[in-house]
Amino acid sequence: MARPKAKAPARRYHLSGQSVVTLAGRDFYLGTHDSPESIARYAVLIGIYQSGGMSLPSDFELASLDDRVAALMGQAAPSHQADKPVLVRHVTALYRDHTAEKYASTPVEKFRFDRLCDQIDEFAGDELAESFGPVKLKSFRQKLVDQKLARKYVNRLTNCVVAVFRYSVAGELIDVAVVQRLETLETLRKGQTKAHETPEVTPADIGHVRATAEHLSPIVKSMLRIQIATGARPKEICMMRPRDIDRSGEVWIYRPSDHKTQWRGKTKAIPLLGDARDAITDYLQRDPDAYCFSPAEAMAWRRAVGTAKRTTPLSCGNSRGTNVKADPKRVPRNQYDAQSYRQAITRAAKKAKVPHWHPYQCRHLTATVVRAALGIEETQALLGHSKAAMTAHYARESIEAATRAAKAAPKL
């Protein structure tokens, strides 16, 4: 049985210093926390909410309460959210709450935005949000350039700053005019800035990849085999589970539970055959919900290899397990992520004494080989570069084209 809606949801303190209440899935900021104005606005808002059968009109705006709040307090109508000046740090505080929920499953993105908010607070946290205009944003961008960041990344972070302020418009902290002014700042153009350019990602050298593979654990080597055979993104390889692989047909189909373009409504199907199928087979005899590739298993393999290579008699030196901490601060996880996968590749490449390369270059390697063999359409199907508006018939054709592409993909 569904939990009934609260007749009077609680009024809470927000990091911006205001009172906030959530009604019908929307957050309403009432003014300075525990001030008479915020309490009066809360009382009027709850009255409307209850009279509407625990709902609010679709076009409801908090500013429409000002006259009734003024009448309740016996004074002139207050300007909406003018109880306390909104500072830049209030804007970033609101966005931090947003990212904590939005990027709960992607800690790397959450860390990136938290760090950006820290930099904004350090730069202009105590200034009025409405005074943060294009000139101020340009100065902040120059600080990013001075940090030797690449031009494209500087532009990306600058757009993120605008997004931080844009979210505060939706939260009714600032006026939309603030964001409109920020959007007038032109992006940095190639050749017109001191910010350096990022080098283009080139395909990995298959010889370097094969040399690196000789120094990888069987777990990471299997991941590499599958990535080269399918052209999948590193994240998609790391999150493979038995339950995500359809083995009912002649060609096994891997459908990632989460992928880069999922939020656009796109689906992705990766055919597993040949070397990819051989590499994944040994990892399917486990719990359907368990991840196929585990750093904990890789650690156990390395320890077993070390034990097998031991030359000191067992009666001498350390016995097995005595030099392992009983309660280590860091323990290997049960799933690789893109970063730990990349680190394993980097360490193995150093041991192989080959030039540095990273897993995403394998995707470019596969794309280059498949395109040369079959053409652009099969390459797009294999890599999942499809439009959002797909019909069921076109989806079937994509899987068939991806299967033809997988047969032409390189092998480790």
Side-chain angles (χ1 to χ4, degrees), residues 42 67 83-84 153 255 274 301 314 342 356 404 407:
Y42 171 76
D67 291 338
D83 306 286
K84 182 178 180 179
Y153 191 52
R255 293 183 172 85
W301 174 83
L314 294 178
R342 177 171 179 158
H356 170 76
R404 294 194 298 271
K407 293 179 180 178

Side-chain angles (χ1 to χ4, degrees), residues 58-341:
S58 58
D59 58 347
F60 176 79
E61 295 294 340
L62 194 60
S64 63
L65 304 182
D66 287 347
D67 291 338
R68 295 177 61 178
V69 171
L72 183 63
M73 298 182 62
Q75 62 184 40
S79 59
H80 179 51
Q81 288 193 349
D83 306 286
K84 182 178 180 179
V86 177
L87 306 180
V88 171
R89 67 174 66 258
H90 296 156
V91 171
T92 57
L94 180 63
Y95 200 76
R96 290 177 198 271
D97 286 350
H98 171 60
T99 56
E101 179 179 355
K102 181 177 181 179
Y103 299 114
S105 60
T106 51
V108 174
E109 285 297 316
K110 181 180 181 302
F111 174 78
R112 178 180 289 112
F113 279 104
D114 284 344
R115 183 180 179 184
L116 178 63
C117 287
D118 289 340
Q119 291 177 302
I120 297 173
D121 288 345
E122 182 180 353
F123 180 72
D126 294 325
E127 298 183 16
L128 292 175
E130 63 180 15
S131 67
F132 195 95
V135 174
K136 202 72 177 178
L137 180 59
K138 185 177 181 179
S139 298
F140 179 77
R141 185 178 66 183
Q142 185 58 45
K143 289 181 67 67
L144 299 178
V145 173
D146 294 340
Q147 295 174 19
K148 307 301 182 182
L149 300 181
R151 178 184 63 86
K152 290 183 179 180
Y153 191 52
V154 170
N155 283 336
R156 178 183 176 185
L157 291 179
T158 304
N159 290 334
C160 288
V161 175
V162 178
V164 171
F165 280 81
R166 185 181 297 113
Y167 187 76
S168 286
V169 175
E172 300 186 356
L173 277 184
I174 61 176
D175 189 79
V176 67
V178 177
V179 175
Q180 291 173 342
R181 291 197 301 270
L182 294 177
E183 290 174 342
T184 62
L185 181 65
E186 293 186 353
T187 58
L188 295 176
R189 305 292 183 182
K190 185 176 181 179
Q192 299 177 358
T193 175
K194 294 181 180 180
H196 67 88
E197 297 294 323
T198 52
E200 295 295 330
V201 178
T202 57
D205 185 293
I206 189 63
H208 297 161
V209 175
R210 288 170 176 159
T212 301
E214 298 299 320
H215 298 271
L216 293 171
S217 68
I219 292 89
V220 180
K221 186 175 181 178
S222 296
M223 297 170 68
L224 189 57
R225 289 173 62 190
I226 297 170
Q227 188 184 6
I228 290 177
T230 61
R233 295 182 176 90
K235 177 183 176 181
E236 295 164 349
I237 299 297
C238 295
M239 64 189 302
M240 292 183 78
R241 298 175 298 179
R243 65 174 297 179
D244 300 324
I245 301 174
D246 181 2
R247 290 169 275 172
S248 59
E250 181 180 352
V251 176
W252 291 0
I253 301 297
Y254 166 46
R255 293 183 172 85
S257 58
D258 183 27
H259 57 88
K260 182 179 180 180
T261 56
Q262 184 177 23
W263 67 279
R264 294 182 180 270
K266 294 185 179 182
T267 58
K268 185 161 188 180
I270 302 174
L272 301 176
L273 64 159
D275 200 36
R277 182 164 172 168
D278 293 341
I280 193 61
T281 299
D282 292 339
Y283 299 91
L284 299 179
Q285 307 304 319
R286 59 184 65 204
D287 188 287
D289 294 320
Y291 293 104
C292 292
F293 308 112
S294 165
E297 293 180 5
M299 177 68 75
W301 174 83
R302 284 194 290 270
R303 288 175 176 170
V305 170
T307 300
K309 293 182 178 179
R310 176 179 176 137
T311 56
T312 304
L314 294 178
S315 59
C316 303
N318 294 327
S319 58
R320 184 175 182 179
T322 56
N323 58 347
V324 178
K325 293 183 178 180
D327 186 21
K329 293 182 179 180
R330 298 180 61 185
V331 296
R333 298 178 298 169
N334 292 322
Q335 178 199 9
Y336 277 96
D337 58 21
Q339 183 177 0
S340 57
Y341 177 40

